[in-house]
Amino acid sequence: MMYNSDNFFAEQTLLMVSDSLLGEMSDSRIIDTLLKTDLKGLPQRPNWVDGSGLSRNDLFTPQDFVWLLDKFQREFGLDRMKRILPTGGTGTLSSYYRQDSGFIFAKTGSLSGVVALSGYLITKKGHLLLFSILINNYTGSGVTVRRQMEQLIHSFRDNY
């Protein structure tokens, strides 16, 4: 799901987790359970309604995504996260970040008028940056916004 987004599969996975942990398939009950247990430390409580990520009612902050990235890195290790997330020129980043391939590992997100990118960036100085960029309510082309995000990420890689 990280290399090629599959929103239907993501929704079904959440329902399967619900069935396994709670004995019933319920988005709302498993989300409430996860927010009270595994995700209780999120900096801001998200508005989370489904597993697909397609609802405009699913609202997470960039700070929440960075918190999750940090949690994943601590629990699973950076090497595993690098294998899970696409890098420049692969998966959902196939048209972007080619010059940063092997140094950026990130997940994209998009809805009409919304573009997001969250992940890990290894700078030219060897620093690890955890980042989350969410841009919404833009006018014009999503490609233009994504290219501007790419320039920003490349600048971070060069300068930090």
Side-chain angles (χ1 to χ4, degrees):
M1 275 190 341
M2 295 304 196
Y3 274 78
N4 299 302
S5 292
D6 186 331
N7 297 323
F8 178 74
F9 184 71
E11 174 65 20
Q12 296 311 305
T13 301
L14 186 68
L15 289 172
M16 289 186 292
V17 168
S18 176
D19 190 49
S20 177
L21 294 179
L22 305 175
E24 70 173 306
M25 292 186 175
S26 170
D27 279 337
S28 61
R29 283 201 57 222
I30 193 62
I31 288 168
D32 186 58
T33 298
L34 290 170
L35 289 173
K36 289 177 179 174
T37 57
D38 297 282
L39 304 178
K40 68 182 173 193
L42 281 169
Q44 287 94 32
R45 184 174 173 90
N47 189 47
W48 183 13
V49 297
D50 67 11
S52 74
L54 293 175
S55 172
R56 290 213 175 262
N57 293 319
D58 287 328
L59 303 172
F60 285 75
T61 66
Q63 189 177 19
D64 286 339
F65 286 123
V66 169
W67 183 90
L68 286 167
L69 290 165
D70 183 56
K71 179 178 176 67
F72 295 156
Q73 179 188 351
R74 283 185 284 107
E75 291 185 14
F76 307 123
L78 184 59
D79 287 340
R80 182 172 179 197
M81 295 311 300
K82 287 172 154 182
R83 289 190 305 272
I84 291 171
L85 294 168
T87 189
T90 68
T92 57
L93 301 179
S94 63
S95 298
Y96 301 92
Y97 306 98
R98 291 181 190 274
Q99 62 193 5
D100 300 313
S101 183
F103 298 96
I104 184 171
F105 304 90
K107 178 68 181 105
T108 61
S110 61
L111 291 170
S112 177
V114 179
V115 174
L117 181 71
S118 300
Y120 306 93
L121 178 67
I122 301 167
T123 70
K124 289 185 176 179
K125 293 178 182 174
H127 297 118
L128 177 65
L129 303 180
L130 284 62
F131 69 91
S132 183
I133 303 169
L134 290 133
I135 299 172
N136 65 13
N137 201 30
Y138 63 85
T139 57
S141 166
V143 171
T144 301
V145 173
R146 286 183 198 88
R147 290 289 178 214
Q148 290 171 338
M149 287 172 58
E150 183 178 33
Q151 289 173 0
L152 178 65
I153 291 293
H154 189 69
S155 174
F156 288 160
R157 181 160 175 255
D158 284 345
N159 295 304
Y160 289 95

